[in-house]
Structure formats: structure tokens, C-alpha cells
Amino acid sequence: MATAIPLEFRRQKKNFIPRSSSSRARSLSDSLPQHLELLHQGTNVEDLKNKHFVLVHGGGFGAWCWYKTTTLLKESGYQVDAIDLTGSGSHFLDSNNITTLSQYVKPLSDFIENLDDNKKVILVGHDIGGACISYVMELYPSKVSAAIFVAAAMLKNGQNILDMFSVQLGLNNLCQRAQIFRYENGKNHPPTAIDYDKSLLKEVLFNQTPAKDVELATMSMRPVPFGPLTEKLSLSTTNYGSIPRFYVKTQDDFAIPSSLQEVMIDSNQPEQVFQIKGSDHSPFLSKPQALHKILVEIFHIPPKMNLKTI
């Protein structure tokens, strides 16, 4: 969810992130490499123990949005869990009452905290779910083997989601028109949530998604709590920076355009970048096979022991 900012908050934003001029070569992929045949040739004990993906949805979505990805991963022999963040999907809490990032992320942090001590997972975050998995990476680095950001907010230390998406102000009128700010505490207070104009959902989030999935999303999406979007992340090299990060770009994304994804990639460089051709903002619905192949490919990339600068 590329988030517009109400006028009274825009005036307070002064430090935007510059576009990088880096010409660093990137690995782009939307096809299954030959070495993935290893998946069906058996893996060692360590691989079996950590063959677990945890999927974290973006703003307004819920665990339901991953249904194609969970099916494909399970059919390929992986363990997979999709998490409903607080106030999302089937979680009961009213989005207007969620004020902090820790509150919003609690179902995910509880899940990771309760893993066995010798268990590691691969976190996959979409949209603002990228900030959510970053928050958990900082808390539980020993329980995360890798992190995959799918058209997601991949922030640096001290940034919040609104800082990141303020780069796009004035450049994405359609996305801004699709958002409806809710003020449950009155217009003289900050917004409490962001809702969607359902008539614009397909054009913004699902421009390449099958009609039946657009209908599912239209019935299932819920407002996004505003408070967590304003909270700055505290990320350290020792914790967050010790975990390999990978980015999956969505080429035909109208919510978080490729140009904004490039800004995040260049300012906070991951191990490797992949691209899904012809994907809208929701590749788990529009390009599930391509996304699945990339997730499996990343699983088979040997880990590096070096720490990352953030």
C-alpha cells in the first residue's frame, strides 16, 4: 500500500530519500532455474528443520491473500504459515484502535517467539508487511534464516513507512484517490485508519489479477491502522543486519511503482533482487507460479555469514 499522507502531515515531512544513481548489476528472475531440481533429490537434516516459510500480508490484506502461495509451497514439501496481523483478515480488533507497530505485529512476533529454539524460518513480507518482518528480524534474529521483501517496504534504521512512501507524493494520484482516511478521534486529531475506495481497488492493486480474486479481495480487505505507519523502526547491524535479505520487484505495480522499489533497493541493498514480469502489486494472486519459483530459488541460495550495513 503506497500511502498518501494527509495535508497536515505532509508539511511536517522534510527529509525525503534521494534516488540512488547506483548502477549495481542485479539478478532478475521469473523462471525456475535448473538447480531447483535439488528440491526433489532430498535435503540434509538442517534443510528439513528449517524448511518453513512464514508469510506476512500487506496493508488491508490478510492471511487469505496467500492461498495460492501456501498451496504451491505445501505441494512442494514446505511447511508454511500465513499470519493475520492485528485487525487484519479474521483478527477481530478494530483497525482504528491499533496505535503502535508492536500491537499491529503481535500475532507475528508471538508466532516467532514460540518457535522451538533450534528452528528457523524464512520470513516473506508484502507491502507494509516488509516493515513488520523487519521489526521481528530485529527482535528474533536467531530464528530467521532469510527475509524476502515482495513489493514491500524495506526500510533503514530510523525510517517509518510514511517517510518511505512520501517519495511518491504527487506522483501517484490514483493511489491517493483510492485511499480514504478515517478520523475516529475527530478531524482535529491524526487519522486512525486508512480505508479503500472499493471501486478503484482493481486499478490500483489488482490490475493483472483474475476477476475472481479481485472479487475475493474486495470482500475481504479491511482498513489499515494509521498509527503503526508513523512509527520509526529501530534496526541494528547485529540483529536485523545479520539476516540475508532478498527483494522481489513487481514490474507492473501501480501501488508501489518499480521506481519506488528501486529507491528502497538502492538505499538498503539486499543480497539479491528478483523481478516478476507482468505482475501487479499482488503477485501472490496475479503471478503465483512465478512468485513460488522465486521463493524456492531463494530457499536454495547458500547462506552468507557476513553482516550487512543498514
Side-chain angles (χ1 to χ4, degrees):
M1 181 194 70
T3 306
I5 305 177
L7 182 60
E8 63 270 25
F9 281 82
R10 294 183 197 179
R11 298 192 181 109
Q12 300 174 15
K13 300 294 179 182
K14 297 181 180 179
N15 298 319
F16 292 161
I17 300 170
R19 296 185 183 277
S20 170
S21 60
S22 170
S23 59
R24 175 177 53 88
R26 298 182 177 86
S27 172
L28 305 177
S29 170
D30 61 356
S31 61
L32 184 65
Q34 291 181 351
H35 75 264
L36 293 191
E37 294 176 0
L38 293 172
L39 177 62
H40 303 290
Q41 297 176 0
T43 53
N44 59 37
V45 174
E46 189 68 18
D47 285 339
L48 290 171
K49 183 176 66 177
N50 297 319
K51 206 174 179 183
H52 189 170
F53 286 88
V54 177
L55 312 179
V56 182
H57 62 82
F61 292 84
W64 56 266
C65 73
W66 298 104
Y67 80 95
K68 295 180 180 180
T69 300
T70 57
T71 300
L72 290 169
L73 286 172
K74 288 176 181 178
E75 288 176 347
S76 297
Y78 293 92
Q79 184 178 352
V80 57
D81 285 280
I83 306 296
D84 273 326
L85 299 176
T86 306
S88 305
S90 61
H91 195 281
F92 64 90
L93 194 64
D94 185 346
S95 299
N96 292 289
N97 297 327
I98 302 166
T99 58
T100 66
L101 189 58
S102 62
Q103 184 184 12
Y104 184 52
V105 178
K106 192 174 189 304
L108 174 62
S109 56
D110 286 349
F111 181 90
I112 300 300
E113 183 179 15
N114 291 326
L115 289 171
D116 293 341
D117 289 340
N118 63 344
K119 183 72 179 290
K120 289 189 175 184
V121 299
I122 298 175
L123 291 176
V124 182
H126 171 247
D127 189 84
I128 67 173
C132 298
I133 67 172
S134 298
Y135 180 91
V136 170
M137 290 160 68
E138 180 65 26
L139 291 178
Y140 305 106
S142 65
K143 295 186 176 183
V144 181
S145 59
I148 304 173
F149 294 75
V150 180
M154 187 171 64
L155 308 182
K156 297 176 69 174
N157 180 47
Q159 289 182 326
N160 63 29
I161 297 166
L162 290 188
D163 286 337
M164 189 75 257
F165 292 128
S166 64
V167 175
Q168 283 301 109
L169 283 178
L171 299 179
N172 196 338
N173 292 330
L174 175 63
C175 189
Q176 294 185 40
R177 285 192 289 112
Q179 296 172 5
I180 303 169
F181 287 87
R182 301 300 184 191
Y183 294 85
E184 291 299 310
N185 299 324
K187 284 292 185 72
N188 57 330
H189 293 281
T192 52
I194 304 174
D195 209 345
Y196 293 96
D197 180 340
K198 295 300 196 318
S199 68
L200 296 175
L201 276 181
K202 177 174 176 59
E203 194 171 354
V204 178
L205 302 176
F206 308 113
N207 48 293
Q208 300 293 338
T209 293
K212 62 182 180 180
D213 290 320
V214 177
E215 186 66 19
L216 169 66
T218 300
M219 294 187 295
S220 304
M221 294 191 74
R222 295 179 59 184
V224 184
F226 187 79
L229 306 182
T230 68
E231 188 170 327
K232 294 185 181 296
L233 287 175
S234 178
L235 305 174
S236 68
T237 300
T238 304
N239 294 345
Y240 169 87
S242 68
I243 300 168
R245 288 177 290 109
F246 301 87
Y247 202 95
V248 180
K249 289 179 58 181
T250 41
Q251 187 181 58
D252 294 336
D253 193 328
F254 292 164
I256 304 182
S258 179
S259 59
L260 178 54
Q261 294 180 46
E262 282 288 344
V263 170
M264 291 187 282
I265 290 165
D266 289 337
S267 64
N268 191 13
Q269 293 184 1
E271 294 282 337
Q272 203 166 338
V273 176
F274 299 80
Q275 177 168 285
I276 302 179
K277 297 178 181 179
S279 173
D280 55 23
H281 187 57
S282 309
F284 36 78
L285 296 177
S286 61
K287 293 288 183 179
Q289 291 283 355
L291 176 61
H292 171 70
K293 291 171 183 178
I294 290 174
L295 297 182
V296 174
E297 180 174 352
I298 292 172
F299 172 82
H300 285 280
I301 294 175
K304 294 181 181 180
M305 301 306 293
N306 59 306
L307 299 180
K308 293 292 170 186
T309 301
I310 61 173

